[in-house]
Amino acid sequence: MANNSYSGVKNSVAEPNHDGEFGCSLKELRSLMELRGAEGLHKIQETYGDVNGLCNRLKTSPVDGLSGQPADIEKRKVAFGQNFIPPKKPKTFLQLVWEALQDVTLIILEVAAIVSLGLSFYKPPDSENRNCGNAAGGVEDEGEAEAGWIEGAAILLSVACVVLVTAFNDWSKEKQFRGLQSRIEQEQKFMMVRGGQVIPIPVAEIVVGDIAQIKYGDLLPADGILIQGNDLKIDESSLTGESDHVKKSMEKDSVLLSGTHVMEGSGKMVVTAVGVNSQTGIIFTLLGAGEDDEDEEEKEKKKERKKEKKNKKQDGSVENRKKAKAQDGAAMEMQPLNSDEGAEGEEKRKANLQKKEKSVLQGKLTKLAVQIGKAGLVMSAITVIILVVLFVVDTFWIQGIPWEKECTPIYIQFFVKFFIIGVTVLVVAVPEGLPLAVTISLAYSVKKMMKDNNLVRHLDACETMGNATAICSDKTGTLTMNRMTVVQVFIADKHYKKVPEPDVIPASTMDLLILGISVNCAYTTKIMSPEKEGGLNRQVGNKTECALLGFALDLKKDYQAIRNEIPEEKLYKVYTFNSVRKSMSTVLKNADGSYRMFSKGASEILLRKCYKILTATGEAKLFRPRDRDDMVKRVIEPMASEGLRTICLAYRDFPASEGEPDWDNESDILTRLTCVCVVGIEDPVRPEVPDAIRKCQRAGITVRMVTGDNLNTARAISTKCGILQPGDDFLCLEGKEFNRRIRNEKGEIEQERIDKIWPKLRVLARSSPTDKHTLVKGIIDSTVVERRQVVAVTGDGTNDGPALKKADVGFAMGIAGTDVAKEASDIILTDDNFSSIVKAVMWGRNVYDSISKFLQFQLTVNVVAVIVAFTGACITQDSPLKAVQMLWVNLIMDTFASLALATEPPTESLLLRKPYGRNKPLISRTMMKNILGHAVYQLTIIFTLLFAGEKMFDIDNGRYAPLHAPPSEHYTIVFNTFVMMQLFNEINARKIHGERNVFEGIFNNMIFCTIVFGTFVIQIVIVQFGGKPFSCVGLSIEQWLWCILLGFGCLLWGQIISSIPTSRLKFLKTAGHGTQKEEIPDEELEELEDLDEIDHAERELRRGQILWFRGLNRIQTQMDVVSAFQSGISFQAAVRRQPSSTSQQHDVTNVSSPTHVALSPAAAFNTASATVGSEW
């Protein structure tokens, strides 16, 4: 990979020579790990003799591992580094403030405020003697000219408030996500041998010299050398781009690299490189280093001019880094891209334009924000034009005053005032709170979902889950308890309905059975004594194997004694379980040179390979096909119909006279077996599952079971769960039958054929991972139903990766799941429980509803404020709501409301409606009715107060006030009533489906109560003590009561609105649709073909006429924050998802361990060479 010129890169550990302490240095080990295959073996033999020699030099034991003493571990960390790669520094608060200041509307306001400030201090010498028109009249009489600066200063102050609030929000969100990140990392553990015990060690605590136990499904946390392996195959595509699995053995290739996946087999390795010194760490440090290269070189050039001599070393380091990076890049560029199905997958992908679309909600929101922004821009421009025209016509034409040079500053002040009003209309119109609401809502949900056992790795998944229409679930561990026990057995020609007494089984059969169970179950699987007295034994490892070991214990035999006698190193050959074999076999070599192989596997598969069976006397008799059919009917089907999983245990002897068999020819080896027994293993259904499935079905979500078990077992369990109801017309298929039905004569899969099957399919048994992937893809691509199906999938095995990736939302099992499955998933179920998926659906729907609630509230305020400012300005030549007041309203409705409404907790009632679907508009007709209805009420009240308020309250008229006139009671009442109406309307906005009781559950959300109460208190302070900056005058108690009463009217008016049936109001339109595929022009589609995801947000912002809108940077900034979370805030986050041909994008995702990394060559190279401003 990278050469050793790498030493200049930041974060790399200094390399003192530790030969005194350990027999090899960091440098030696690093160069060893850069070799592959035969080269690596040759180097080990040449330098250390063999692997044991290497272990001796590292002062570790291949059998007992490290002692685990803190002093020794610390020494190793100092000598060889820690298993941790420093994350990218978070943005400081000041950087976030600077980003918030980039918002175009705020910049316009700042400029206007500064101009206004400057002009208020400028006094032309003899302007007092001049008549500059009526509009300017009365300015000096009030003696208020000195206070002219207050408005400019107040605007600047409120801009500062908005900026600080935005920056604080971004900062706290980033902090939250880093917290989440570190939680994921801390939970990541790996099995290590320390002090002779196999114990889970946090990945960050792994040190050089540790002995790691690796097994199927692991993601390797560090580089190492194999010291013992059984049938080990590794997927190194994340580092090399080669999709073929690499066989690892002591004889051919023993180098194991971090970030690669164990696809088959098991073994042990000695750790030789960790953290920044592992192969993955080297790539990452290069990427991290690349980012600052440009700046550093600039700085260095300057330094160079000053002190050329001193700088040579530094320059060298950059040169080296550049070389290393170039080599790294070149090496990667040459390698093919990794792909799920190899070259044909690449072809298929190009042929298939159906991209995986990015967050639906983000797309809808951006589109809506763009539309509102356009409308706001038009309104504000018209406002400014009308004000200017009215002023010019009135002053120069009607009054006929000539333009005097001395009056110019006064006129400019007017124009600045008009401009500020226009900008204010724009500020209120643009809903920059939208992205904020989304982020807050998602961040809040993610935090709360942790408590509901959902660890969300990709933010979008949370919201997508609310739209789910189908769930394809595993059976074992998700629907069942994954605590397996043998409850029935067929042995010695007899079917026992419960575990028999040991003395009824012939001794010879018993010995074979116990020996077979002991050696032919993974040595990492064991039964441990219970944690609490009187509790159940703890099952560690594969649960099916735990059931067999438990069976041995029930027969009063000790499997551990046999394992001690035959340690793992003595096993001659192991064929580990995989989805193709559906069986596991272990070969022992006897003293006389003969071999004995024990096998266990799915009964219907293994029984076909048996030609003898042990009888009641312990002797083997012939087992003919008709005996087998008889056994299937009498034993296996009755067991399966009770929901038991049937496993056959068998053996085969290879006599010494025949010589050593060809072990690689599996079909010849795994035949002519002798059946020892068939066991029925029970895995009880989780008690909470039937209820959870009922909830899903009521919520319009179809639950399908996809399992590797046989059809009868699957049918029995799915009936217990409620997936199948008696008398239903639903399909239950086996994998073979499913494949036969969906393929044409040429063996190709046809979508039309899948479309005939999936709507009725409820159980898919004996399915392979490919079947699962095909089913998921078939449902997603289907067009039979008008709505595109949104599919969630659960998986725990390594081979579930493709299906988890393909699904809209992939759930991995936190306990039983392999690292590979977790990496491909979007959400990890920390308790492996199906009912947690229902919680995820509830939270997903809640996110959608929270956004809609916020929209309903925000748009009402927008419509009212814009119309009031616009008409007020046109009629009275001054906005009834001043710039500072508008900014305060903006703060209430954006930041505070998004906090209050986005943090509503979900309720069970969310599960009583059908999924919204991908194309459902954000603003339904009911919401549109509420928005327009409340706008009518609010506008009526405000205009009444504006044009008749002085008579009603018997106060001075505030209209047509001169330039620097003092604030009036009249306009203060208008402003106060407006805010009161928003406060009460915020309570209305809590319900969006036309419910009557808007107070339901209000006290469950303390954030909401606090914000409403807090806003009310601040409003009192602003009105009573705000004075000139807020253009307010203190009001009397009576006036306050009137304001509150008019505000309270919103709640009563809300009841009237909800009484009007929406169906009657045909003229109402919906808004906020997602972009349909058909709407995308062909030329744009061609552009998008190169991208793997259609990002609706990007599409909307691409169009030329909205370029200015890009400048409304707050939307962009906050979306960046969201994407920053998605692309992972820290290094660790950057590396968790294994790239495949279908996801070669740079939003590299969340992570669960510091050194686990999966980088596509392309991504690595591009990022290394063009990282300026990227999110690493």
Side-chain angles (χ1 to χ4, degrees):
M1 294 300 292
N3 62 1
N4 286 330
S5 63
Y6 173 79
S7 56
V9 178
K10 294 178 302 182
N11 300 345
S12 79
V13 179
E15 299 187 2
N17 196 345
H18 286 278
D19 291 36
E21 192 71 54
F22 298 99
C24 43
S25 69
L26 175 60
K27 201 169 181 182
E28 263 176 57
L29 289 174
R30 245 173 63 176
S31 57
L32 169 66
M33 294 322 290
E34 280 163 12
L35 303 171
R36 300 281 177 275
E39 284 181 343
L41 284 170
H42 180 66
K43 174 86 189 232
I44 293 171
Q45 282 159 5
E46 192 183 282
T47 320
Y48 311 107
D50 61 0
V51 180
N52 291 337
L54 175 63
C55 290
N56 290 338
R57 294 257 198 117
L58 287 173
K59 300 189 176 171
T60 180
S61 151
V63 180
D64 295 337
L66 296 177
S67 62
Q69 284 169 350
D72 178 43
I73 302 291
E74 206 45 52
K75 264 186 210 163
R76 289 170 190 274
K77 282 185 182 172
V78 172
F80 302 108
Q82 290 186 318
N83 199 18
F84 172 72
I85 294 179
K88 188 182 165 202
K89 283 197 184 111
K91 284 181 178 161
T92 59
F93 187 69
L94 286 176
Q95 281 172 306
L96 292 168
V97 167
W98 178 244
E99 278 178 15
L101 275 170
Q102 308 300 306
D103 183 343
V104 168
T105 30
L106 288 183
I107 292 172
I108 296 173
L109 266 182
E110 287 156 21
V111 171
I114 291 165
V115 172
S116 159
L117 257 179
L119 288 172
S120 66
F121 290 125
Y122 173 73
K123 281 183 84 176
D126 56 349
S127 64
E128 290 157 28
N129 315 327
R130 302 269 173 191
N131 176 13
C132 297
N134 294 348
V139 178
E140 308 309 329
D141 313 345
E142 303 291 345
E144 283 286 334
E146 293 77 40
W149 60 274
I150 291 180
E151 185 173 28
I155 292 176
L156 286 178
L157 190 70
S158 32
V159 165
C161 269
V162 172
V163 166
L164 287 173
V165 168
T166 310
F168 179 74
N169 269 316
D170 292 351
W171 178 79
S172 59
K173 281 184 306 231
E174 198 159 315
K175 193 163 157 248
Q176 257 181 12
F177 276 85
R178 277 181 184 271
L180 182 69
Q181 207 57 51
S182 58
R183 257 201 73 171
I184 300 177
E185 282 147 27
Q186 284 155 12
E187 283 173 10
Q188 186 73 16
K189 294 196 168 153
F190 206 84
M191 298 308 275
M192 291 286 165
V193 181
R194 283 201 182 167
Q197 295 286 313
V198 180
I199 49 171
I201 300 276
V203 166
E205 292 299 312
I206 294 172
V207 291
V208 170
D210 254 324
I211 305 295
Q213 277 223 325
I214 54 180
K215 61 181 188 308
Y216 156 85
D218 282 343
L219 184 62
L220 299 183
D223 292 355
I225 301 288
L226 189 66
I227 49 180
Q228 181 258 319
N230 305 320
D231 196 21
L232 197 61
K233 286 186 189 158
I234 305 281
D235 173 8
E236 292 189 346
S237 58
S238 55
L239 284 178
T240 63
E242 299 288 346
S243 53
D244 294 342
H245 298 167
V246 184
K247 273 193 172 178
K248 297 284 179 182
S249 65
M250 308 284 293
E251 298 76 45
K252 290 190 181 145
D253 181 358
S254 61
V255 176
L256 299 168
L257 302 172
S258 59
T260 57
H261 297 121
V262 183
M263 300 311 277
E264 252 180 64
S266 60
K268 282 184 187 172
M269 73 169 189
V270 56
V271 175
T272 53
V274 292
V276 289
N277 300 303
S278 65
Q279 290 301 299
T280 309
I282 289 174
I283 295 176
F284 260 88
T285 331
L286 281 171
L287 293 178
E291 185 162 323
D292 305 318
D293 272 358
E294 320 300 319
D295 310 341
E296 274 187 29
E297 280 179 69
E298 283 305 308
K299 286 177 196 165
E300 277 172 15
K301 275 180 193 166
K302 284 179 192 169
K303 281 187 196 168
E304 230 170 78
R305 289 171 203 145
K306 289 181 193 168
K307 17 185 164 168
E308 239 168 290
K309 288 175 193 169
K310 274 189 188 175
N311 204 41
K312 273 187 181 164
K313 284 181 193 169
Q314 272 186 328
D315 200 41
S317 81
V318 172
E319 283 307 305
N320 284 348
R321 189 182 324 162
K322 279 271 180 264
K323 270 186 217 160
K325 197 165 71 169
Q327 286 181 357
D328 215 32
M332 290 180 162
E333 217 179 9
M334 294 187 299
Q335 286 149 356
L337 291 183
N338 155 35
S339 127
D340 283 349
E341 304 96 351
E344 52 199 311
E346 197 67 32
E347 290 307 305
K348 277 184 209 160
R349 188 170 73 84
K350 282 185 179 158
N352 178 13
L353 226 173
Q354 195 73 38
K355 305 286 183 200
K356 186 172 183 187
E357 298 184 349
K358 267 198 185 167
S359 165
V360 189
L361 187 62
Q362 261 336 28
K364 288 180 185 177
L365 279 174
T366 313
K367 192 168 180 181
L368 190 66
V370 169
Q371 289 164 346
I372 298 171
K374 280 186 198 168
L377 186 63
V378 170
M379 289 294 277
S380 63
I382 295 175
T383 311
V384 174
I385 292 166
I386 290 179
L387 284 170
V388 172
V389 168
L390 279 175
F391 172 75
V392 171
V393 168
D394 180 53
T395 309
F396 302 122
W397 192 21
I398 297 175
Q399 296 179 33
I401 294 169
W403 183 299
E404 299 268 357
K405 200 170 103 191
E406 289 79 7
C407 291
T408 305
I410 293 181
Y411 297 147
I412 289 179
Q413 253 172 311
F414 269 105
F415 292 138
V416 168
K417 177 179 154 188
F418 299 152
F419 184 63
I420 289 177
I421 292 170
V423 173
T424 313
V425 171
L426 181 63
V427 169
V428 176
V430 173
E432 61 280 52
L434 267 183
L436 187 65
V438 182
T439 316
I440 290 176
S441 181
L442 285 172
Y444 171 76
S445 303
V446 166
K447 211 171 172 186
K448 292 288 187 189
M449 281 168 82
M450 290 283 280
K451 289 182 183 156
D452 284 340
N453 304 309
N454 283 288
L455 199 153
V456 181
R457 295 183 58 242
H458 304 139
L459 268 183
D460 292 347
C462 175
E463 153 244 323
T464 312
M465 203 49 218
N467 292 325
T469 54
I471 297 174
C472 295
S473 172
D474 270 357
K475 172 179 77 70
T476 309
T478 315
L479 300 172
T480 59
M481 289 171 79
N482 204 10
R483 188 184 169 82
M484 303 203 187
T485 42
V486 172
V487 288
Q488 294 189 21
V489 57
F490 178 87
I491 189 166
D493 268 348
K494 192 162 183 215
H495 183 176
Y496 295 93
K497 292 284 186 177
K498 59 181 200 301
V499 177
E501 289 301 316
D503 46 14
V504 301
I505 299 171
S508 58
T509 308
M510 179 67 99
D511 292 345
L512 274 169
L513 174 66
I514 301 302
L515 179 60
I517 287 176
S518 304
V519 298
N520 194 30
C521 286
Y523 278 39
T524 47
T525 303
K526 40 187 177 287
I527 303 281
M528 316 261 288
S529 52
E531 282 174 344
K532 293 183 188 132
E533 256 182 74
L536 295 165
N537 282 340
R538 278 182 300 151
Q539 297 186 337
V540 180
N542 180 300
K543 298 297 190 261
T544 310
E545 294 184 337
C546 285
L548 293 172
L549 295 176
F551 176 48
L553 295 176
D554 291 343
L555 293 171
K556 316 279 189 294
K557 299 290 180 201
D558 180 15
Y559 68 87
Q560 195 56 52
I562 295 172
R563 286 185 170 184
N564 295 342
E565 202 179 303
I566 309 174
E568 205 169 357
E569 292 76 34
K570 285 195 183 170
L571 303 178
Y572 189 77
K573 173 103 182 117
V574 179
Y575 297 95
T576 50
F577 179 89
N578 66 25
S579 56
V580 180
R581 287 190 191 122
K582 292 246 188 261
S583 67
M584 173 177 173
S585 309
T586 302
V587 182
L588 298 177
K589 187 172 183 178
N590 300 326
D592 61 358
S594 63
Y595 300 92
R596 172 168 282 173
M597 176 178 78
F598 291 100
S599 295
K600 68 171 192 297
S603 55
E604 60 264 50
I605 290 169
L606 225 50
L607 281 174
R608 283 197 207 106
K609 299 181 178 176
C610 292
Y611 84 121
K612 285 185 173 176
I613 187 164
L614 296 181
T615 60
T617 57
E619 285 158 10
K621 71 165 187 186
L622 269 177
F623 186 61
R624 293 182 296 272
R626 74 160 178 273
D627 298 332
R628 186 177 68 233
D629 297 342
D630 185 42
M631 186 164 172
V632 167
K633 276 200 183 66
R634 282 188 309 112
V635 179
I636 291 170
E637 283 182 1
M639 281 188 187
S641 62
E642 291 177 42
L644 303 184
R645 183 180 214 163
T646 55
I647 300 283
C648 173
L649 302 172
Y651 77 99
R652 177 180 178 185
D653 283 326
F654 298 93
S657 55
E658 290 176 13
E660 183 162 353
D662 174 8
W663 297 116
D664 290 337
N665 187 350
E666 278 186 49
S667 53
D668 282 359
I669 300 288
L670 203 65
T671 180
R672 298 181 66 76
L673 304 175
T674 304
C675 173
V676 179
C677 72
V678 172
V679 295
I681 296 177
E682 180 184 49
D683 185 8
V685 170
R686 287 179 181 265
E688 61 276 29
V689 162
D691 186 44
I693 286 179
R694 261 199 308 281
K695 282 181 188 165
C696 279
Q697 289 163 341
R698 199 171 58 216
I701 302 168
T702 312
V703 182
R704 294 180 175 84
M705 181 201 284
V706 183
T707 175
D709 251 348
N710 74 34
L711 194 56
N712 292 337
T713 309
R715 196 182 272 128
I717 298 277
S718 58
T719 310
K720 283 182 190 171
C721 292
I723 293 174
L724 292 177
Q725 306 290 346
D728 278 347
D729 173 27
F730 286 134
L731 281 177
C732 299
L733 295 180
E734 277 199 340
K736 274 186 186 164
E737 174 64 10
F738 173 69
N739 271 306
R740 194 183 62 70
R741 290 196 190 188
I742 61 170
R743 291 174 192 274
N744 59 19
E745 300 72 46
K746 294 180 190 167
E748 295 161 344
I749 296 172
E750 287 187 355
Q751 184 64 42
E752 297 79 59
R753 290 172 183 248
I754 299 182
D755 287 347
K756 284 180 188 152
I757 294 175
W758 76 258
K760 283 196 170 179
L761 183 70
R762 289 295 176 273
V763 175
L764 185 58
R766 280 279 170 253
S767 68
S768 69
T770 332
D771 297 338
K772 194 173 191 175
H773 182 261
T774 309
L775 176 66
V776 172
K777 187 175 181 306
I779 298 177
I780 289 177
D781 294 348
S782 172
T783 48
V784 238
V785 283
E786 60 186 277
R787 279 187 185 172
R788 142 129 153 63
Q789 294 282 302
V790 177
V791 184
V793 169
T794 69
D796 53 8
T798 304
N799 40 26
D800 289 329
L804 288 169
K805 268 208 184 114
K806 179 67 195 166
D808 293 288
V809 182
F811 285 92
M813 302 298 138
I815 303 167
T818 59
D819 292 343
V820 182
K822 288 178 188 173
E823 192 184 280
S825 70
D826 301 293
I827 296 178
I828 296 173
L829 294 178
T830 50
D831 63 346
D832 289 15
N833 194 335
F834 185 84
S835 59
S836 302
I837 299 178
V838 181
K839 296 260 175 60
V841 173
M842 222 154 83
W843 277 105
R845 292 185 173 191
N846 193 51
V847 167
Y848 214 90
D849 278 9
S850 297
I851 307 295
S852 293
K853 288 171 189 175
F854 172 68
L855 267 175
Q856 179 174 306
F857 173 69
Q858 164 117 36
L859 292 180
T860 312
V861 187
N862 275 8
V863 170
V864 175
V866 170
I867 293 177
V868 166
F870 177 69
T871 44
C874 298
I875 296 169
T876 67
Q877 293 188 28
D878 185 8
S879 169
L881 298 171
K882 301 289 180 286
V884 180
Q885 296 174 349
M886 289 278 218
L887 283 171
W888 162 235
V889 170
N890 206 32
L891 200 67
I892 300 177
M893 69 183 194
D894 274 358
T895 311
F896 295 159
S898 61
L899 253 177
L901 292 167
T903 52
E904 287 273 315
T907 58
E908 289 278 332
S909 61
L910 286 167
L911 294 174
L912 298 176
R913 61 171 174 74
K914 298 280 178 272
Y916 277 151
R918 294 176 80 86
N919 303 327
K920 160 119 181 23
L922 277 172
I923 300 171
S924 63
R925 290 177 61 200
T926 309
M927 287 167 62
M928 198 56 100
K929 174 185 76 176
N930 292 345
I931 291 169
L932 296 177
H934 283 292
V936 166
Y937 172 79
Q938 294 190 11
L939 287 170
T940 311
I941 298 289
I942 295 231
F943 284 136
T944 309
L945 286 176
L946 191 56
F947 296 110
E950 72 274 20
K951 298 189 187 73
M952 290 159 63
F953 289 102
D954 192 22
I955 48 179
D956 292 336
N957 180 359
R959 294 189 302 282
Y960 306 111
L963 192 58
H964 293 303
S968 64
E969 274 182 295
H970 183 188
Y971 272 24
T972 306
I973 290 176
V974 173
F975 164 60
N976 199 21
T977 308
F978 180 68
V979 172
M980 287 302 122
M981 289 196 290
Q982 302 326 320
L983 276 186
F984 284 101
N985 196 31
E986 202 166 332
I987 299 172
N988 271 330
R990 292 183 67 248
K991 302 293 174 198
I992 50 174
H993 298 297
E995 299 93 329
R996 285 203 173 277
N997 182 3
V998 290
F999 289 101
E1000 186 191 350
I1002 194 165
F1003 294 112
N1004 296 343
N1005 185 359
M1006 287 325 289
I1007 300 180
F1008 183 88
C1009 301
T1010 314
I1011 284 178
V1012 171
F1013 182 71
T1015 313
F1016 183 64
V1017 171
I1018 298 173
Q1019 179 65 15
I1020 294 176
V1021 173
I1022 287 176
V1023 169
Q1024 296 305 105
F1025 311 104
K1028 178 77 179 164
F1030 278 97
S1031 312
C1032 287
V1033 182
L1035 299 178
S1036 66
I1037 292 287
E1038 187 189 349
Q1039 289 165 334
W1040 262 102
L1041 288 173
W1042 273 109
C1043 293
I1044 293 171
L1045 185 68
L1046 291 170
F1048 183 75
C1050 273
L1051 291 176
L1052 304 174
W1053 182 252
Q1055 294 300 315
I1056 297 169
I1057 293 176
S1058 49
S1059 308
I1060 305 169
T1062 316
S1063 51
R1064 291 278 172 85
L1065 307 171
K1066 295 278 187 250
F1067 60 87
L1068 287 178
K1069 293 273 187 292
T1070 56
H1073 294 264
T1075 311
Q1076 304 299 311
K1077 200 153 186 300
E1078 301 73 66
E1079 290 173 24
I1080 305 178
D1082 292 344
E1083 56 274 20
E1084 260 190 65
L1085 257 182
E1086 279 166 29
E1087 273 178 56
L1088 293 169
E1089 246 172 74
D1090 307 328
L1091 303 171
D1092 285 311
E1093 299 195 343
I1094 296 174
D1095 178 350
H1096 293 297
E1098 262 309 304
R1099 270 207 66 256
E1100 284 308 326
L1101 290 174
R1102 234 185 226 189
R1103 306 197 169 166
Q1105 71 265 41
I1106 310 165
L1107 266 176
W1108 89 272
F1109 191 77
R1110 271 214 154 125
L1112 292 176
N1113 212 306
R1114 199 170 322 162
I1115 288 192
Q1116 214 55 13
T1117 310
Q1118 284 159 351
M1119 285 194 171
D1120 286 349
V1121 175
V1122 174
S1123 68
F1125 300 149
Q1126 289 163 345
S1127 58
I1129 294 300
S1130 59
F1131 144 74
Q1132 293 90 322
V1135 298
R1136 212 33 196 143
R1137 184 196 279 171
Q1138 184 189 3
S1140 67
S1141 63
T1142 41
S1143 62
Q1144 214 61 244
Q1145 73 273 59
H1146 292 324
D1147 78 346
V1148 197
T1149 25
N1150 253 333
V1151 78
S1152 39
S1153 112
T1155 52
H1156 287 203
V1157 64
L1159 250 199
S1160 70
F1165 176 65
N1166 294 347
T1167 322
S1169 53
T1171 42
V1172 190
S1174 75
E1175 277 300 338
W1176 288 94

